[in-house]
Every structure is written in C-alpha cells, then in structure tokens.
Amino acid sequence: MLEEFKQANIEVLSNKADIYPYAFDTGPISNEVTLPLLVAMPKSTKDVQTIVKICNKNNLKIISRGAGTCHTSGCKPCKNSIVIHFSKMNNILEINKENLTAIVEPGVIVGQLQREVDRFGLFFPPDPSNLKVSTIGGAIALSSGGARAFKYGTTKDYVINLEVVLADGSTIQTAKNVSKNVEGYNLTQLFTGSEGTLGIITKAVLKLIPKPETKLVTMAYFNSVEEAASAVNNIISSLITPATIDLLDRNTIDTIEKFNPSGWISYEAMLLVELDGGKIEVEENNKKLYEVLIKSGADKIIQAKNETENEKIWKARRSAFACTAKLKPNVITEDVSVPRENIVPLIKKIDKMCKENNITVCIMGHAGDGNIHPNFALDLSDNDEVMRFNKVKDELFQTAIELNGAISGEHGIGSEKKKYMKDSLDKNAYVYMKKIKELFDKNNIFNPNLMF
Ligand SMILES: Cc1cc2nc3c(=O)[nH]c(=O)nc-3n(C[C@H](O)[C@H](O)[C@H](O)COP(=O)(O)OP(=O)(O)OC[C@H]3O[C@@H](n4cnc5c(N)ncnc54)[C@H](O)[C@@H]3O)c2cc1C
C-alpha cells in the first residue's frame, strides 16, 4: 500500500516516530493509542482523489486532520486508517474585493486568512480562540464559532461553496460562487459542520465583509453570576448588538490571573463585551452599554483605551484553556448550548455537581449565544477522579438536554459525545442523519468513529 502512495507521488510519513503525534488531538487522552498506518500530505484535489481511491482498494479508513485541535477526538485514528494532513494545501487562492469572497485550500490557518483579508479592508469574522493554529478545513468541518458569534454568526454563515472529495473519489461542488442561491438543497450547509464524515473538503469559497472601523473592549465585574447573566439580557434588550458578550466565572478569572497575570480582578463573574462598527456608532453604543452595566449591578467597569489594551484583554481571555491546563496534569473542555434564559440554572448546576464530586472547574462561555464551556482540570491517571468526572460529564449533557439545549454549540460531537446524540436529537432527525451518512459514505470510510 505504501508503494501505491509512492507511485502516485503523494508525500507520506510512515516512520513510527513521525506518525506517533498523529495518534492524538486535543481530545481527552486515553490509555489505548492507535497509530495510523501512515500520514498522507496531498498537494492538490487530485492527490486527495487518488488517496481515496487507494484507500478504497485497500479497505482503509480515512481521518481528515487540520491542526488537530478539536476537543472531541475527531482526528484520532482508528484501526486500519490513514490520516490526511492538509499542511501542503494551505494556499489562499483568491481574495476578491468586488465579490467579497476568498477562495482557500483547507490547510489555510484561520488567523492567517484574517490577516490577509485585513490588508484589503475586509473581515472574516469566525474566531475560534485558537485561530493562530486552527485551519479553515477544520473550522468548516466543525462550523467553528468563537467569541464573535453573537453578532456575526459562526463559520457556517461564511461558507458559500465547497469542493468536496466524496467516498468514491469523485468531487462535488456544493453550490455556485454567488451570495444568493436557492438552487435545490443546501449541500454547502450539509457539509459544513459534518465533521469530515461525509467527504473531504478540498477547497472553500468564503464570504467576507467590510472590516469594522473600530472596536472597544469592556470588562464588567459582578458580585454574582446571576447579576452578570441578567446584564447579558439587559444589554440585548437595550438593542445594542455587541460582537462579543462572554462570561467568565471567578475560577476562570483567578486561573488566568495566576498563570498569565493581566491585571484582572478577582470577582464572582466578569462580562467581556466587545463593541465594534463605525466610530460614532461605537461611541453611542458604549454610552448605552455603560448605563446598562451600571443599572445591572456591575461593581467595576474597565474599558480598553486603545487597540493595544483591547489586544491585551483578548490575549488573556484566549489563554483561559492553557491556564486551566496548568492547574492539573490534564484539561478537558466541554461545550453545551442552552437558550439564553437558561444560562444561570446551567452554570449553577455545573458548579453544584463539581463541588459534590470534588472536580475542579473553570466556567466560561459565549453568554450572548447561551454557549457555555466548563474547563475541567483533571488528573486522568487518578481512576477515582476519572469516575467522578464521568459522572459530572453525564449529568452536564443531561442537564443541557433538560434545559432545551444542545450537547454541542461549536466543538462538535466527535467520538466523545456520540453516546448522548440519541437522547438529545429528535428521533426522526437522528434516523435521517444516519441515512445521510449512509448515502454519502456507505462503506463508512470517512472519520468512521464519529457522531453515530
Ligand atoms: C485552546 C483552544 C481554543 C478553542 N477555541 C474555540 C472557539 O473559541 N470556538 C470554537 O468553535 N472552537 C474552538 N476550539 C476547537 C477547535 O480547535 C476549533 O473548532 C478549530 O477551528 C478546529 O480547527 P483544526 O484545524 O484544529 O481542526 P481539526 O481538529 O484538525 O479537525 C476538526 C474536525 O474536522 C475534520 N476535518 C479537518 N479538516 C477537514 C477537511 N479538510 N475536510 C473534512 N474534514 C476535515 C477532522 O477530521 C475533525 O473531525 C478551540 C480549541 C482549542 C484547543
């Protein structure tokens, strides 16, 4: 089989030392480590088609991998699998100012695309916190969100057309390169967020928007999570639309301050609000925001005075996961999404069950979207702690379902959450999702361990 890759001129890694890192992603570490048979690094769509054909012939499974930073073990190889890594398909092929589009290969880094389009006065809003490393292919496959989703939506709102390699090695264009399109079913949205289970994304046409003229970051400290959460609703009902309304609990604030001192103050809760837009609009909205925050009980409000201070706050906020990882040997981030009105019961329940089970948790999230991330600091070599954590995890997803929420807001299902899918989804939705998988990939060659 290795010979077939060589004959087709496809670059591969096959030494054990080289392929070992590809047995892992940011998902929880498990005792069983499965190595891929090899890692293929295609340079073109044609290479990807050839890889799929070789794999079909040899009965091999295919695991797509961008930066491997997904939290749900979506990139972990299974028995008899190869990994496709897109580091050599990382070109921005076009930035079109008239059409407001970018055409990119899947290995392009999200942050790099943002920087490149910024030079044209344009903006690609999807904003996973790890945008310095995460790839467009991974972001599309997960429909990654991030802190700006409240105003701008998630990756799915910026995908216009995809080129995808299907299970038989053929390609499909999901749509045309037009911003308005109702030609038949919306295949673009079907592949977006499908976690690489239906096909391999080899090219994407993305929507861009004009870059906002200015932005302003505010940190508002509260004496309770309830007050902070009701401030979120007050901001929204005052008809301001901030780009970001993130909520961080005391443990998150203290942990960031401990490992990445940034001048943050220890309070029960903090709201991080970013306004953006035209200068006058931001000034006017800022006056309204300030009033709402005071009326909602904010005890202390600190606003960035310039872009450097904006960036300093964001740098600290983006370090939340890395800082939590320093509390204990391991960190697991979970991701649930509830209607905004249920944020307080959700956070209270997480806090209660972690206290009862002696689990360390830092709770944060995109409160504007009802999307909460508890970051659990754990020692996975401690079997008792693992048992207590698993109990908390089961209860977390059960609680999200009971609160009319979803078991993922932006990290996907992967292999980690598939056991909760049936409970969470409408019965018929689950049946039809499985049928869609079978239709596109009847031999289950793409990311076979995910979702179902
Ligand atoms: C510190 C940290 C912060 C994060 N912050 C956020 C956040 O704020 N918001 C958020 O939504 N997520 C966040 N994430 C989760 C995740 O990293 C992002 O969603 C990211 O965009 C995934 O990109 P990636 O290149 O690492 O994808 P990968 O992890 O490599 O892949 C993700 C999934 O997509 C599939 N895939 C990858 N490329 C392709 C392709 N070309 N075709 C088909 N399938 C493909 C993979 O098989 C896998 O199932 C964070 C992760 C970390 C570690």
Side-chain angles (χ1 to χ4, degrees), residues 29-44:
I29 292 170
S30 81
N31 292 333
E32 274 176 41
V33 175
T34 308
L35 295 186
L37 297 174
L38 55 82
V39 176
M41 291 180 288
K43 293 194 180 79
S44 64

Side-chain angles (χ1 to χ4, degrees), residues 213-409:
E213 194 182 350
T214 189
K215 56 187 178 193
L216 171 63
V217 184
T218 298
M219 295 188 291
Y221 292 95
F222 291 85
N223 288 313
S224 72
V225 168
E226 285 90 337
E227 274 182 323
S230 76
V232 174
N233 290 330
N234 295 341
I235 294 168
I236 293 167
S237 38
S238 73
L239 303 185
I240 313 169
T241 309
T244 303
I245 319 180
D246 274 8
L247 187 150
L248 298 87
D249 77 343
R250 187 193 285 280
N251 276 356
T252 307
I253 299 168
D254 291 351
T255 303
I256 289 176
E257 203 42 37
K258 181 170 177 188
F259 297 110
N260 181 15
S262 305
W264 287 19
I265 311 167
S266 187
Y267 264 87
E268 274 310 300
M270 186 238 270
L271 285 188
L272 193 159
V273 185
E274 180 175 284
L275 296 171
D276 70 354
K279 272 189 186 135
I280 296 170
E281 179 196 355
V282 169
E283 265 169 35
E284 279 174 4
N285 281 337
N286 188 39
K287 276 185 212 147
K288 272 201 215 170
L289 174 69
Y290 210 91
E291 271 171 34
V292 173
L293 289 171
I294 295 283
K295 274 193 195 149
S296 309
D299 202 47
K300 198 163 194 65
I301 300 174
I302 296 175
Q303 298 203 298
K305 292 186 194 68
N306 49 45
E307 186 50 32
T308 313
E309 288 191 14
N310 280 341
E311 234 353 89
K312 191 177 162 203
I313 296 170
W314 273 118
K315 212 169 161 197
R317 158 66 184 81
R318 289 196 176 111
S319 70
F321 176 76
C323 291
T324 312
K326 290 193 174 185
L327 290 173
K328 287 206 167 187
N330 306 97
V331 61
I332 294 182
T333 289
E334 288 302 353
D335 160 47
V336 291
S337 170
V338 293
R340 231 178 354 252
E341 63 192 3
N342 288 337
I343 287 179
V344 172
L346 175 68
I347 292 179
K348 282 190 151 180
K349 184 72 193 278
I350 297 171
D351 194 46
K352 182 168 175 276
M353 58 203 189
C354 286
K355 279 189 181 129
E356 282 171 2
N357 291 284
N358 191 21
I359 293 290
T360 306
V361 66
C362 298
I363 305 172
M364 48 175 265
H366 313 302
D369 308 316
N371 184 195
I372 296 299
H373 297 308
N375 287 323
F376 298 99
L378 299 160
D379 180 353
L380 295 178
S381 67
D382 175 346
N383 289 339
D384 186 60
E385 181 148 286
V386 172
M387 266 173 54
R388 283 181 280 113
F389 170 65
N390 284 337
K391 191 166 168 248
V392 166
K393 197 165 91 172
D394 286 347
E395 271 185 56
L396 169 69
F397 294 120
Q398 203 47 50
T399 305
I401 295 167
E402 280 163 17
L403 293 172
N404 302 319
I407 57 172
S408 173

